[in-house]
Amino acid sequence: RPSLGLDLVEEFRQAVVDRTVLHLANNRVLSPTSHFEKKGDAPGVLLNAEGRKLFFAAYEKRMSEPFAEREGGPQ
């Protein structure tokens, strides 16, 4: 069942993606005026090309770290 894969990955979303986004926002790596854009009349905003580049670089960096080091656990 395809949804099983998504259910299994969901356990790691908070530890990887959410923490990466919070890190970028809290450290002001992403700027609301420089890295986001509004598309037409659609609600919300999207990352522009430069913002996506910064996000994916931070994401790749987080993914290359051992999981225990990220969570402050034993190595």
Side-chain angles (χ1 to χ4, degrees), residues 13-71:
R13 181 188 53 81
Q14 187 271 338
V16 177
V17 178
D18 291 358
R19 287 186 182 217
T20 302
V21 170
L22 288 173
H23 168 79
L24 294 172
N26 289 337
N27 292 301
R28 292 178 168 55
V29 175
L30 293 176
S31 165
T33 57
S34 301
H35 300 113
F36 294 89
E37 59 188 30
K38 186 155 177 58
K39 293 285 188 178
D41 293 334
V45 294
L46 301 171
L47 278 172
N48 62 20
E50 185 180 349
R52 286 190 301 272
K53 183 177 177 180
L54 290 170
F55 170 77
F56 285 119
Y59 174 79
E60 289 294 329
K61 182 179 177 188
R62 181 164 292 279
M63 289 300 292
S64 68
E65 298 171 355
F67 191 75
E69 286 180 20
R70 275 190 251 156
E71 303 303 314

